[in-house]
Amino acid sequence: MNLFKSFRTDIVTALARLAEEGRLPANLDFSKVTAEPPREASHGDVSTNAAMVLAKAAGMKPRDIAEMLAAELRGLPAVVGAEVAGPGFLNLRLADRFWHDQLADLLRSGTSYGDSDLGHGVRVNVEYVSANPTGPMHIGHARGAVFGDALSGLLEKAGFDVTREYYVNDAGAQVAVLARSVHLRYREALGEDIGAIPEGLYPGDYLVPVGKAIAERDGAKWRDLPEDEWLADFRRLAIAAMMDLIRGDLEALGVRHAVFTSEKELVDAGKVDAALSFLAERGLIYEGVLEPPKGKLPDDWEPRPQTLFRATDFGDDVDRPLRKSDGSGTYFASDIAYHLDKYRRGFSHMIDVWGADHGGYVKRMQAAVKAVTEGGGSLDVKLCQMVNLLKDGEPYKMSKRAGTFVTLRDVVDEVGKGVVRFIMLTRKNDAQLDFDLVKVLEQSRDNPVFYVQYAHARAHSVIRHGVEMFPDADLSGSALAGANLARLDDPAELALIRLMGGWPRLIESAAEAHEPHRLAFFLYDVAAAFHGLWNKGKDDATLRFLLAEDRELSVARLALVRGVALLIASGLEVFGVEPVEEMR
């Protein structure tokens, strides 16, 4: 249960009651009334802006409204204090038993704690990674892969119906280059000395087994044929091989897409032409010449009449070309068709995860989605900044097979998929991220993945000792929910319970903002509070989790420890990270 949403309902109900009694004007708009954690924990547990946002419409002083509302809310069973602060903010203090009930709810819910119906089953398409099928994935792709996968998991926890999708860019010039590169390796497999890889072709050794496989299957069939007779077949074979490679890289990271959509298939099926016809029928395409932009000329600008989309009608800075000089569609035209295809498959809510170098493409794509869906679709684009790979603070270049970049598989093999996934979420997606191969394995508070996992392992260690001390006790979550949790009255214990009680709200707010990194920050805070409580027990024996002479208190504290383990496991589950129960 999102307790803040619940208290907002109580606040609005109290306001409506005051209006019915004539103490507030009728028909006030309560839509901007909020219930949130106070900025300062010392101010209480729940804060509302109700008096501040209603004062002008009500023609009353904010403090007068706040005092009336405070008197109403003091009657709620969970409220032990309602104080007006400043010009009219109202802060509520909640009874300890309320927080004990929140812990019991967590214990009964297990890792489903924080599950929400916010999304009401609304279908959302999350398209992420979508690396060009020209080679193995590199460390830069890992960030978008992890972010998109974790965002999908977060949205699912918040009640959305999520489809994970990969868009295969297999219709452009780069796949022709790939086909030529594979043909070169094919000739090498037949015994030809190919010398240095010519500039412009892909040099990585990952193409060697592709060339060998074709040579073993077809012999010299393709060797002496002109390019136009082998290019299409080599494109098809190369793309299939590269997609197998990419799927394997993603699998190593624990990422699995439900849908793979081919750009080439969209083009061959006539969907690009159909999308452009759809826009033309609505007067959104015209022939014109774009003014040269200031500064560096973009790749798609040409000083000639072009087929242009009226992107400026939908919020873009300039209109955008849809046809190349040879009459074929631009990348933008294919992307319009792709997003229209998604919309027609039932996805009015679309999220694309792109690299930061595509930032200039966002406005035009959002404009296109507005146009082709006639306002019925929405597109949120999340840009992922670069990853700086380091080793003990120094830039690190590690590549076993790519020739020019660090592969994702190399990094996963070096530190493990769980570490890669968690670290990729310790910064907001649009902030640069340093990934140090040494520091991510350090066992210190400065390493968030270790610190959080250590809290989970430490919690399970305490529970194992609890089983040894009280072998007849049922220490499952559901059983511990029935413990005498009122025994948890130390301020540090209650502070930890209050912190964990904010998890359902965090799930909803992070899902609405499309920001899974918030969960990593929260898990770190929970781990820090738990480790702090452990350390207090070392300094004060009465605060230890297990006291042989006080079974009831020990079981209550085991309930708290179990709650910590379940909440951390819940968050790691969203991230696709396996929680550990022991650390050596």
Side-chain angles (χ1 to χ4, degrees):
M1 176 191 75
N2 182 338
L3 68 94
F4 297 96
K5 186 182 288 185
S6 176
F7 272 99
R8 183 187 181 279
T9 299
D10 291 335
I11 291 164
V12 169
T13 298
L15 291 167
R17 188 163 56 246
L18 289 170
E20 288 174 7
E21 295 171 357
R23 299 163 68 191
L24 284 177
N27 302 318
L28 288 175
D29 179 8
F30 300 142
S31 62
K32 294 182 180 179
V33 172
T34 62
E36 298 177 333
R39 291 185 181 178
E40 300 271 348
S42 61
H43 292 170
D45 299 309
V46 179
S47 180
T48 179
N49 65 350
M52 303 294 292
V53 299
L54 297 177
K56 184 175 181 181
M60 298 172 65
K61 294 179 180 179
R63 285 191 68 91
D64 292 342
I65 297 176
E67 292 290 358
M68 285 194 299
L69 181 58
E72 291 290 316
L73 296 176
R74 288 187 188 108
L76 293 175
V79 175
V80 294
E83 302 164 2
V84 179
F89 287 102
L90 178 58
N91 297 320
L92 306 179
R93 296 183 186 278
L94 306 180
D96 290 353
R97 67 179 179 276
F98 174 85
W99 294 111
H100 295 143
D101 288 343
Q102 300 308 301
L103 175 57
D105 183 37
L106 191 167
L107 292 164
R108 284 189 293 267
S109 300
T111 56
S112 64
Y113 183 62
D115 286 5
S116 169
D117 63 355
L118 174 75
H120 298 292
V122 170
R123 299 183 71 199
V124 179
N125 182 288
V126 184
E127 182 234 315
Y128 57 105
V129 188
S130 299
N132 288 339
T134 55
M137 296 181 63
H138 57 67
I139 185 61
H141 293 134
R143 191 170 192 188
V146 171
F147 175 84
D149 211 45
L151 175 57
S152 298
L154 171 61
L155 291 170
E156 287 171 338
K157 192 169 181 66
F160 292 89
D161 179 3
V162 179
T163 293
R164 294 163 166 83
E165 184 155 338
Y166 187 115
Y167 183 44
V168 185
N169 299 113
D170 55 359
Q174 80 278 358
V175 291
V177 174
L178 174 68
R180 295 184 185 104
S181 304
V182 170
H183 190 267
L184 187 67
R185 295 297 192 177
Y186 159 74
R187 286 159 40 203
E188 180 183 42
L190 293 174
E192 182 178 332
D193 181 4
I194 61 172
I197 303 297
E199 186 175 348
L201 297 186
Y202 294 106
D205 289 345
Y206 59 88
L207 294 179
V208 171
V210 183
K212 283 183 178 178
I214 298 173
E216 289 171 2
R217 190 194 67 182
D218 296 339
K221 173 182 176 181
W222 308 99
R223 183 178 58 194
D224 300 321
L225 294 177
E227 180 179 292
D228 61 353
E229 293 189 30
W230 56 256
L231 185 63
D233 287 281
F234 272 70
R235 281 173 63 123
R236 176 176 52 80
L237 294 168
I239 290 169
M242 292 305 98
M243 287 309 301
D244 284 344
L245 187 62
I246 287 170
R247 283 189 180 94
D249 289 344
L250 290 171
E251 182 68 29
L253 194 57
V255 174
R256 301 173 188 85
H257 292 81
V259 177
F260 288 80
T261 298
S262 161
E263 179 188 4
K264 185 175 186 303
E265 288 178 6
L266 286 174
V267 173
D268 292 347
K271 291 187 177 182
V272 176
D273 290 337
L276 299 190
S277 296
F278 181 87
L279 292 174
E281 290 166 4
R282 285 152 182 77
L284 298 176
I285 291 179
Y286 68 100
E287 295 296 316
V289 179
L290 290 175
E291 291 292 322
K294 296 178 182 179
K296 184 180 178 180
L297 297 182
D299 293 337
D300 60 358
W301 183 81
E302 295 180 62
R304 63 174 182 82
Q306 291 177 282
T307 302
L308 302 173
F309 163 57
R310 298 186 187 277
T312 51
D313 288 359
F314 301 92
D316 198 2
D317 300 324
V318 296
D319 292 341
R320 301 293 181 177
L322 296 172
R323 297 283 187 192
K324 300 176 186 175
S325 56
D326 63 1
S328 63
T330 60
Y331 284 118
F332 182 45
S334 294
D335 287 343
I336 292 174
Y338 172 47
H339 286 80
L340 176 58
D341 181 68
K342 282 197 269 193
Y343 181 70
R344 287 178 171 171
R345 282 187 272 134
F347 298 108
S348 57
H349 297 273
M350 295 171 258
I351 302 171
D352 288 0
V353 180
W354 298 346
D357 56 336
H358 289 81
Y361 205 71
V362 174
K363 275 190 176 181
R364 74 186 70 180
M365 204 63 250
Q366 290 177 330
V369 168
K370 288 178 187 175
V372 294
T373 68
E374 298 180 288
S378 66
L379 172 64
D380 184 20
V381 178
K382 310 303 288 188
L383 299 175
C384 288
Q385 270 290 353
M386 291 178 57
V387 177
N388 299 315
L389 190 68
L390 309 171
K391 192 162 188 177
D392 206 15
E394 296 296 324
Y396 189 57
K397 302 296 182 185
M398 172 184 67
S399 183
K400 298 173 183 174
R401 54 190 177 136
T404 56
F405 55 81
V406 180
T407 69
L408 181 155
R409 186 69 69 96
D410 288 341
V411 177
V412 171
D413 290 347
E414 185 95 354
V415 301
K417 72 176 182 180
V419 171
V420 174
R421 289 183 70 107
F422 194 100
I423 293 296
M424 290 293 173
L425 296 164
T426 55
R427 294 287 184 276
K428 195 171 186 290
N429 57 283
D430 58 3
Q432 278 203 331
L433 175 72
D434 289 342
F435 191 103
D436 192 306
L437 290 162
V438 173
K439 295 187 183 302
V440 298
L441 295 178
E442 283 182 355
Q443 296 191 355
S444 74
R445 180 173 183 153
D446 294 332
N447 177 5
V449 63
F450 165 77
Y451 200 59
V452 171
Q453 287 279 31
Y454 185 40
H456 186 268
R458 173 173 271 177
H460 276 273
S461 175
V462 172
I463 293 167
R464 286 193 295 271
H465 284 103
V467 171
E468 293 172 3
M469 184 174 289
F470 308 111
D472 61 329
D474 184 350
L475 301 183
S476 64
S478 57
L480 289 170
N484 183 12
L485 301 179
R487 295 295 306 276
L488 300 172
D489 56 8
D490 183 82
E493 293 170 337
L494 289 166
L496 177 53
I497 297 171
R498 286 187 179 95
L499 176 60
M500 293 194 296
W503 179 246
R505 174 181 180 269
L506 179 81
I507 291 296
E508 293 189 351
S509 61
E512 287 180 315
H514 299 165
E515 294 185 346
H517 72 277
R518 296 188 190 185
L519 277 64
F521 294 172
F522 189 93
L523 294 179
Y524 186 90
D525 289 344
V526 169
F530 176 65
H531 291 311
L533 195 54
W534 167 279
N535 290 330
K536 287 189 71 172
K538 289 173 61 179
D539 299 333
D540 181 350
T542 65
L543 293 176
R544 290 176 182 169
F545 294 123
L546 299 175
L547 299 170
E549 68 277 12
D550 194 337
R551 177 186 174 115
E552 184 182 63
L553 179 56
S554 297
V555 170
R557 287 177 174 169
L558 284 167
L560 177 55
V561 172
R562 174 72 75 181
V564 169
L566 287 170
L567 189 143
I568 290 175
S570 174
L572 295 180
E573 186 177 274
V574 172
F575 281 3
V577 175
E578 186 74 25
V580 298
E581 296 188 4
E582 290 185 89
M583 298 190 82
R584 302 183 186 279

